[in-house]
């Protein structure tokens, strides 16, 4: 385990016992235990000397997203002459680990759709605050490393691998991959994972979005979409990157949804057709020529409409997020409790009583017309938005 002493953390000496759980081209990730508060946390560290500083963007976006349902809690951040760090709420296993643990290396369709809805809501939340994620992926391929870490009096990061007792000074700038300026290619490290579930009983079924280091603000100060650059450079992870990313085009909101689409296909099928190809250019050409409808063989027809939708979008277009998550939550053949849970998941919170949803589902399954104002009659606090959401949900089932 690691002992990490951060004098700048909360303006006091913070003792963290930590172990490495991830890392890549931009820094290292540790699981930590605050020895004072006994809280388990996640700690990200990057060299202050590397050309591309990503933790500054990570902190900026994480702070903007505080309070959102699928975002972990920000705890603190700091820097010295050698490194930058951020401390945040620790999450559980990442989605790649969970998928690989399944009997055939794939999720069931119902699990895939449940995860997809939560990921879509997370993507929508970052887009709402004016940022693109640009690295939507579930990948994680990291082993554990036990070591002792602390900050010495001269602000050097000292690391000693256990059980060795000899300390050595590690220059993180030499241990990280150098990246060029913002217009050059930046390929995300395979070892980092950007979606995990909670680690406690009350949130172990909730998905959290992580790692905002490659995010970019796509809006101006007035909320308008920024003009695209002529060439933006590659951003993201080759396996899940959109065709636009491979072409070094400026990425828009729909490019995050392309990565989500590839994730969902991998969740159900256990793999993508280009999984064994390492060359970025070859993968890009294959994606460009591939008939993406072939990827939908084991997925519901509603995802075909999702594919058609994202294929129709241009850089500045706003995706229809609600259209997707309401479509794949059809009540046909489902219990009233499942439908009510789906509405809560789709709308965040709902004032619709369970009995109201049960009456709607029963009427729908029996083929009877529903009463449009049933919710208003049964519960005055139901909003127009919720009534429209349920109306759209039922309408989509009939198409």
């Amino acid at each position: 385990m690691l002992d990490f002493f951060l004098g700048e953390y909360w303006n006091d000496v913070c003792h963290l016992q930590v172990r490495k759980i991830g890392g890549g081209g931009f820094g290292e990730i540790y699981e930590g235990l605050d020895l004072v508060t006994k809280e388990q946390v996640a700690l990200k560290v990057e060299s202050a000397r590397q050309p591309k500083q990503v933790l500054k963007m990570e902190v900026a976006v994480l702070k903007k997203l505080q309070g959102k349902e699928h975002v972990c809690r920000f705890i603190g951040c700091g820097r010295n002459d050698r490194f930058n760090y951020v401390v945040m709420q620790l999450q559980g296993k990442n989605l790649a680990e969970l998928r690989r643990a399944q009997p055939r290396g794939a999720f069931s369709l119902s699990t895939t759709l449940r995860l997809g809805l939560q990921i879509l809501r997370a993507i929508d939340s970052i887009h709402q605050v004016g940022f693109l994620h640009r690295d939507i992926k579930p990948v994680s391929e990291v082993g554990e490393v036990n070591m002792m870490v602390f900050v010495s009096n001269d602000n050097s990061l000292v690391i000693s691998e256990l059980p060795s007792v000899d300390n050595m000074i590690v220059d993180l700038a030499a241990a990280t991959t150098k990246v060029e300026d913002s217009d050059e290619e930046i390929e995300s490290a395979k070892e980092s994972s950007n979606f995990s579930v909670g680690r406690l009983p009350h949130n172990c079924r909730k998905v959290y979005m992580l790692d905002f280091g490659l995010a970019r603000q796509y809006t101006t100060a007035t909320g308008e979409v920024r003009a695209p650059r002529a060439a933006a450079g590659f951003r993201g992870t080759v396996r899940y990157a959109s065709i636009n990313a491979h072409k070094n085009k400026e990425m828009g909101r729909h490019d995050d949804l392309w990565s989500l689409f590839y994730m969902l296909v991998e969740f159900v099928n256990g793999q993508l057709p280009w999984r064994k190809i390492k060359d970025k250019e070859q993968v890009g050409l294959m994606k460009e020529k591939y008939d993406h409808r072939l990827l939908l063989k084991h997925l519901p027809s509603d995802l075909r409409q999702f594919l058609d939708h994202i294929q129709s979008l241009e850089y500045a277009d706003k995706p229809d997020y609600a259209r997707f998550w309401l479509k794949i939550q059809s009540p046909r053949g489902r219990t009233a409790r499942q439908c009510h849970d789906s509405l809560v998941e789709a709308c965040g919170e709902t004032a619709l009583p369970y009995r109201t949803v049960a009456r709607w589902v029963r009427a729908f399954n029996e083929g009877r017309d529903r009463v449009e104002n049933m919710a208003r009659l049964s519960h005055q606090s139901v909003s127009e938005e919720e009534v429209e959401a349920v109306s759209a949900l039922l309408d989509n089932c009939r198409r």
Side-chain angles (χ1 to χ4, degrees), residues 252-371:
R253 285 166 284 187
H254 64 309
D255 292 294
D256 279 345
L257 299 189
W258 269 109
S259 297
L260 169 59
F261 174 76
Y262 291 139
M263 282 177 59
L264 296 180
V265 171
E266 187 181 56
F267 282 171
V268 170
N269 297 335
Q271 60 188 27
L272 288 165
W274 42 84
R275 69 191 186 283
K276 294 183 179 180
I277 304 176
K278 304 299 181 183
D279 183 76
K280 175 170 63 68
E281 306 302 330
Q282 291 184 26
V283 173
L285 289 174
M286 186 173 181
K287 289 178 182 176
E288 195 169 359
K289 296 177 180 179
Y290 198 84
D291 184 354
H292 282 64
R293 291 173 295 183
L294 298 176
L295 299 174
L296 299 172
K297 182 178 180 180
H298 302 295
L299 291 166
S301 58
D302 289 325
L303 283 183
R304 169 66 184 274
Q305 297 179 47
F306 177 62
L307 174 62
D308 291 341
H309 180 55
I310 60 178
Q311 284 179 326
S312 70
L313 298 175
E314 301 293 338
Y315 163 73
D317 294 337
K318 179 182 178 180
D320 190 347
Y321 309 94
R323 172 181 168 185
F324 171 57
W325 68 53
L326 289 174
K327 267 187 173 296
I328 65 176
Q329 295 189 97
S330 165
R332 188 176 297 282
R334 304 174 70 194
T335 66
R337 175 61 63 189
Q338 288 173 321
C339 288
H340 188 263
D341 290 346
S342 293
L343 286 171
V344 173
E345 189 169 38
C347 302
E349 296 291 340
T350 180
L352 290 171
Y354 167 73
R355 290 180 180 177
T356 297
V357 177
R359 288 199 299 270
W360 274 0
V361 172
R362 184 167 57 252
F364 176 83
N365 287 333
E366 293 175 358
R368 294 184 283 108
D369 291 334
R370 69 184 184 282
V371 179

Side-chain angles (χ1 to χ4, degrees), residues 43-55:
L43 171 71
K44 283 190 174 184
V45 181
E46 74 174 2
S47 169
R49 301 178 182 180
Q50 65 188 41
K52 182 67 177 180
Q53 303 288 308
V54 300
L55 283 191

Side-chain angles (χ1 to χ4, degrees), residues 88-343:
M88 65 190 75
Q89 181 185 21
L90 179 67
Q91 302 304 337
K93 291 184 177 181
N94 64 70
L95 298 187
E97 289 178 302
L98 293 174
R99 177 184 64 80
R100 288 194 293 265
Q102 302 306 304
R104 63 182 186 92
F107 290 128
S108 66
L109 178 58
S110 61
T111 298
T112 295
L113 295 180
R114 179 174 60 83
L115 295 174
L117 286 170
Q118 295 191 59
I119 296 170
L120 181 64
R121 286 177 57 82
I123 293 173
D124 186 13
S125 68
I126 189 174
H127 290 176
Q128 286 178 16
V129 298
F131 285 85
L132 306 172
H133 190 283
R134 301 199 302 176
D135 194 22
I136 300 296
K137 64 175 182 180
V139 181
S140 178
E141 299 178 4
V142 178
E144 296 181 5
V145 177
N146 292 329
M147 50 182 81
M148 184 72 73
V149 174
F150 62 93
V151 181
S152 65
N153 293 333
D154 63 353
N155 284 333
S156 297
L157 188 65
V158 181
I159 299 180
S160 175
E161 294 196 27
L162 300 179
S164 171
V165 296
D166 296 325
N167 291 341
M168 61 180 180
I169 303 296
V170 175
D171 186 348
L172 287 180
T176 55
T177 302
K178 291 186 177 181
V179 293
E180 304 299 329
D181 61 47
S182 58
D183 289 333
E184 296 299 325
E185 297 186 358
I186 301 179
E187 182 178 344
S188 175
K190 284 178 83 174
E191 291 83 355
S192 60
S193 177
N194 293 345
F195 289 96
S196 295
V197 294
R199 49 177 293 274
L200 301 174
H202 72 275
N203 65 0
C204 63
R205 294 175 64 84
K206 180 183 290 187
V207 175
Y208 291 86
M209 175 185 282
L210 309 170
D211 199 349
F212 306 103
L214 295 186
R216 174 178 167 83
Q217 188 168 5
Y218 71 91
T219 58
T220 64
T222 58
E224 298 176 349
V225 177
R226 297 168 65 177
R229 295 169 292 179
F234 181 84
R235 298 292 189 279
T237 301
V238 171
R239 185 183 301 179
Y240 310 99
S242 68
I243 295 174
N244 285 335
H246 283 279
K247 291 182 174 181
N248 295 332
K249 290 185 176 181
E250 186 75 270
M251 295 169 65
R253 285 166 284 187
H254 64 309
D255 292 294
D256 279 345
L257 299 189
W258 269 109
S259 297
L260 169 59
F261 174 76
Y262 291 139
M263 282 177 59
L264 296 180
V265 171
E266 187 181 56
F267 282 171
V268 170
N269 297 335
Q271 60 188 27
L272 288 165
W274 42 84
R275 69 191 186 283
K276 294 183 179 180
I277 304 176
K278 304 299 181 183
D279 183 76
K280 175 170 63 68
E281 306 302 330
Q282 291 184 26
V283 173
L285 289 174
M286 186 173 181
K287 289 178 182 176
E288 195 169 359
K289 296 177 180 179
Y290 198 84
D291 184 354
H292 282 64
R293 291 173 295 183
L294 298 176
L295 299 174
L296 299 172
K297 182 178 180 180
H298 302 295
L299 291 166
S301 58
D302 289 325
L303 283 183
R304 169 66 184 274
Q305 297 179 47
F306 177 62
L307 174 62
D308 291 341
H309 180 55
I310 60 178
Q311 284 179 326
S312 70
L313 298 175
E314 301 293 338
Y315 163 73
D317 294 337
K318 179 182 178 180
D320 190 347
Y321 309 94
R323 172 181 168 185
F324 171 57
W325 68 53
L326 289 174
K327 267 187 173 296
I328 65 176
Q329 295 189 97
S330 165
R332 188 176 297 282
R334 304 174 70 194
T335 66
R337 175 61 63 189
Q338 288 173 321
C339 288
H340 188 263
D341 290 346
S342 293
L343 286 171

Side-chain angles (χ1 to χ4, degrees), residues 340 343-344 347-357 360 374-376 378-387 390:
H340 188 263
L343 286 171
V344 173
C347 302
E349 296 291 340
T350 180
L352 290 171
Y354 167 73
R355 290 180 180 177
T356 297
V357 177
W360 274 0
M374 185 181 294
R376 297 190 192 91
S378 62
H379 201 290
Q380 294 182 354
S381 64
V382 175
S383 68
E384 293 280 346
E385 181 181 4
E386 289 171 327
V387 173
V390 177

